[in-house]
């Protein structure tokens, strides 16, 4: 220890030495990818991961999405017991079961889709939400089966069905089994329509591949979040194919709205009340708490 450190007062000495200095805990702050504002994480959670400075919609997990839309009481999860298998014994750089295990450990979920029956501001509905953090929200056999069971539950209980997509498309590790889910899910939606029940599709960032090519655009009402990336192939793949620079805003929600591909673009913070009004119109049921939440 130098003579200078010896004569420092104890409080200053501790801060210099660093042996007991206080550090700011990690994970308290989030930087907005759009405006680069530094945001307190708890404040960001309160706005449902929407930047309060510029309105940029960051991705939201499936459970958080369900909590933002469904009422707390009377929830019933559908198909949670169904788990993925590996009939093809698929292996790329890693075995498929290893990828599943890693995704389960990372997210705490058992698959990329969570289906929940409940109420939205007192109006009954079945809600299916994709978890993008689980293997990119890819659609495999379990996703298709949970989706189909959710639709069947809606038919049996005479409830509207809502899906919230956040996915890269079909799951390559399941090959043809994954592609078959496109037909399976769309056929179930035809049964829902035959039963005279509404289907609302909500597209978030990103909605791509086999999901966008199947049930994502089949809704009686198709809603998107602001600036959500929506399409089949990604912009970089398209640019490499056509060898041209794509226009700004290509495959974004606002462009799709202007071309008539979707019906509405709604801010996430207003989505619950807007959905409740839509469902009330479809089902002719009263909304008890919309005025309180608006």
């Amino acid at each position: 220890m130098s003579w200078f450190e010896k004569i420092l007062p104890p409080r200053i000495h501790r801060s210099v030495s660093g042996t007991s200095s206080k550090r700011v805990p990690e994970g308290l702050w989030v930087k907005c990818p759009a405006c680069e504002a530094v945001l307190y994480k708890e404040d960001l959670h309160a706005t449902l991961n929407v930047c309060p400075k510029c309105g940029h919609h960051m991705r939201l997990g499936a459970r958080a999405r369900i909590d933002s839309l469904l009422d707390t009481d009377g929830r019933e999860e559908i198909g949670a017991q169904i788990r993925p298998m590996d009939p093809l014994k698929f292996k790329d750089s890693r075995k498929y079961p290893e990828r599943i295990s890693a995704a389960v450990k990372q997210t705490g979920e058992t698959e990329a889709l969570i289906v929940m029956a409940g109420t939205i501001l007192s109006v009954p509905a079945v809600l299916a939400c994709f978890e993008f953090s689980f293997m990119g929200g890819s659609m495999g056999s379990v996703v298709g089966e949970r989706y189909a069971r959710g639709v069947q539950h809606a038919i049996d209980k005479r409830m509207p069905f809502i899906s919230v997509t956040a996915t890269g498309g079909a799951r390559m590790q399941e090959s043809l089994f994954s592609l078959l889910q496109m037909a399976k899910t769309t056929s179930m939606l035809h049964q829902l329509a035959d039963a005279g029940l509404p289907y609302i599709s909500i597209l978030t960032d990103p909605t791509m591949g086999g999901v966008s090519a199947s049930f994502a655009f089949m809704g009686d009402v198709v809603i998107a979040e602001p600036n959500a990336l929506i399409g089949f192939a990604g912009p970089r793949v398209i640019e490499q194919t056509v060898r041209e620079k794509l226009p700004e805003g290509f495959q974004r929600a606002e462009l799709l709205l202007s071309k008539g591909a979707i019906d509405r673009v709604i801010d996430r913070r207003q989505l619950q009340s807007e959905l409740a009004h839509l469902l009330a119109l479809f089902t002719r049921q009263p909304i008890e708490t919309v005025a309180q939440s608006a």
Side-chain angles (χ1 to χ4, degrees):
M1 181 181 293
S2 68
W3 66 270
F4 179 73
E5 291 176 317
K6 290 179 180 179
I7 65 173
L8 283 176
R11 187 174 300 173
I12 300 177
H13 182 267
R14 285 196 300 268
S15 64
V16 171
S17 64
T19 55
S20 60
S21 61
K22 295 181 180 179
R23 298 181 180 181
V24 177
E26 295 182 3
L28 287 180
W29 304 93
V30 177
K31 188 175 183 179
C32 174
C35 68
E36 298 188 346
V38 179
L39 309 168
Y40 187 47
K41 196 170 185 178
E42 291 300 319
D43 292 340
L44 189 61
H45 287 169
T47 60
L48 303 178
N49 278 16
V50 178
C51 176
K53 305 291 186 181
C54 68
H56 175 71
H57 283 52
M58 305 179 201
R59 288 172 184 165
L60 189 65
R63 295 284 176 183
R65 175 81 61 178
I66 290 170
D67 289 339
S68 73
L69 295 177
L70 286 185
D71 301 333
T72 304
D73 297 331
R75 295 182 185 179
E76 178 187 355
E77 189 164 352
I78 300 167
Q81 74 280 8
I82 310 169
R83 305 298 172 87
M85 300 178 67
D86 184 23
L88 301 178
K89 307 300 178 186
F90 190 94
K91 181 181 179 181
D92 42 71
S93 59
R94 297 170 67 186
K95 293 181 179 179
Y96 182 37
E98 292 176 358
R99 292 193 178 275
I100 292 291
S101 298
V104 170
K105 184 176 180 180
Q106 177 188 352
T107 64
E109 303 295 343
T110 56
E111 251 298 346
L113 185 73
I114 301 169
V115 182
M116 195 83 68
T119 58
I120 299 177
L121 297 182
S122 77
V123 182
V126 177
L127 179 65
C129 290
F130 276 79
E131 175 56 70
F132 187 78
S133 297
F134 194 103
M135 297 187 69
S138 53
M139 179 173 63
S141 300
V142 174
V143 169
E145 180 62 20
R146 288 186 181 183
Y147 193 97
R149 292 195 183 194
V151 176
Q152 188 61 56
H153 185 89
I155 294 171
D156 294 341
K157 302 296 183 180
R158 303 295 301 171
M159 302 165 69
F161 184 79
I162 303 168
S163 73
V164 183
T165 54
T167 171
R171 185 172 299 173
M172 59 170 283
Q173 287 85 356
E174 294 191 21
S175 188
L176 181 61
F177 290 102
S178 176
L179 296 178
L180 288 173
Q181 307 314 307
M182 297 171 65
K184 181 176 185 176
T185 53
T186 54
S187 66
M188 289 302 300
L189 290 176
H190 282 297
Q191 294 183 40
L192 185 76
D194 291 341
L197 297 167
Y199 166 47
I200 299 175
S201 180
I202 302 168
L203 316 180
T204 74
D205 183 73
T207 296
M208 306 295 290
V211 172
S212 69
S214 54
F215 58 82
F217 280 92
M218 289 182 63
D220 298 296
V221 178
V222 181
I223 299 169
E225 289 187 340
N227 203 42
L229 180 66
I230 304 165
F232 183 72
R236 285 179 296 179
V237 173
I238 296 174
E239 283 187 339
Q240 292 171 1
T241 303
V242 301
R243 298 181 182 180
E244 291 186 13
K245 182 68 177 177
L246 297 174
E248 187 175 352
F250 183 77
Q251 289 185 321
R252 295 291 174 175
E254 290 73 14
L255 179 63
L256 270 66
L257 179 65
S258 69
K259 301 298 182 182
I262 61 177
D263 299 303
R264 297 185 66 185
V265 175
I266 299 178
D267 188 296
R268 184 183 297 159
R269 294 164 289 187
Q270 280 77 53
L271 188 57
Q272 186 189 47
S273 60
E274 294 286 348
L275 277 177
H277 279 108
L278 278 173
L279 293 176
L281 288 173
F282 277 124
T283 61
R284 299 181 181 179
Q285 294 189 38
I287 307 171
E288 297 176 0
T289 55
V290 168
Q292 298 176 6
S293 64

